[in-house]
Amino acid sequence: MALLKIVHYPDPRLHKVAQPIATVDDEIKALAADMAETMYAAPGIGLAATQIDRPVRLIVVDISETKDDLKVFINPEILSASGRGEHEEGCLSVPGIYDMVTRPERIRVRALNTQGQSFELEADGLLAVCIQHEIDHLDGKVFVEYLSRLKQDRIRKKLLKHAREAM
Ligand code: K1U
Ligand code: ZN
């Protein structure tokens, strides 16, 4: 297994639309395992393949305290969404920034697992927030895009300054 480098906002690679995965083969299984390792090490509760510069439709999520409830979603699709709820979000691609985002409260999602089998899941609370946040990444959207233009500009400048200082 391997730790993967996470791309930071405002890198344009975060705005690529990820392509569906045609076959769940050993390469995809290894990518899912590496992404899980990277998510746990960060630490985070989710990671999308877009964030490690692999624009394919694969996300990993584990919101458990004990870090033993890994969920892998290949080609995830939101089948239905209901309600509205506000939740604080963070992002491993936008380090140090947390803000409130309003999204549907409850979702039903369909995806393939690492055996290539289709499954459906009902989610609410943090799990629903995290799955929607990660699917946004696959569609090239970063959570800061839900914030005001002023906040987005401040975040962009702050992270560009950090990147320059790290060089
Ligand atoms: O997509 C990502 O960058 C991962 C992101 C997921 C997420 C968090 C909160 C709301 C929506 C989506 C993170 O994991 S940020 C880090 C984080 O929230 C966290 C880290 C350690 C323990 C608990 C949470
Ligand atoms: Zn994120």
Side-chain angles (χ1 to χ4, degrees):
M1 292 214 288
L3 284 182
L4 307 167
K5 190 170 177 293
I6 297 175
V7 172
H8 285 175
Y9 184 83
D11 193 306
R13 290 174 289 181
L14 289 171
H15 301 299
K16 282 187 195 164
V17 176
Q19 294 304 302
I21 290 171
T23 313
V24 182
D25 55 16
D26 286 349
E27 194 196 327
I28 292 297
K29 289 180 199 177
L31 178 61
D34 287 346
M35 284 174 54
E37 188 183 6
T38 303
M39 172 187 71
Y40 288 127
I45 57 171
L47 191 69
T50 306
Q51 293 176 274
I52 45 98
D53 195 25
R54 285 290 307 271
V56 294
R57 300 191 79 84
L58 167 57
I59 67 174
V60 295
V61 173
D62 187 348
I63 64 157
S64 71
E65 293 277 326
T66 42
K67 300 293 160 211
D68 60 357
D69 189 21
L70 178 66
K71 292 179 169 61
V72 177
F73 300 82
I74 296 166
N75 299 336
E77 286 174 78
I78 293 179
L79 300 175
S80 61
S82 59
R84 298 294 286 166
E86 199 186 26
H87 205 286
E88 185 175 71
E89 298 194 19
C91 182
L92 299 174
S93 293
V94 194
I97 306 292
Y98 292 84
D99 215 321
M100 302 305 288
V101 176
T102 301
R103 297 181 184 273
E105 196 134 62
R106 169 174 283 271
I107 58 169
R108 185 166 187 85
V109 61
R110 179 165 62 209
L112 301 179
N113 63 20
T114 51
Q115 302 309 311
Q117 296 156 338
S118 179
F119 68 97
E120 291 187 15
L121 179 86
E122 285 266 358
D124 60 10
L126 181 59
L127 182 58
V129 170
C130 192
I131 292 170
Q132 291 176 83
H133 176 116
E134 302 310 333
I135 292 177
D136 272 354
H137 276 305
L138 301 183
D139 292 330
K141 187 163 182 172
V142 180
F143 89 101
V144 298
E145 291 169 55
Y146 291 100
L147 309 179
S148 68
R149 176 54 65 188
L150 180 66
K151 280 189 178 178
Q152 288 182 50
D153 287 346
R154 283 185 182 153
I155 293 165
R156 185 180 295 108
K157 282 181 188 146
K158 188 172 175 179
L159 292 193
L160 284 172
K161 186 165 175 273
H162 285 175
R164 273 198 305 276
E165 286 167 359
M167 279 171 71

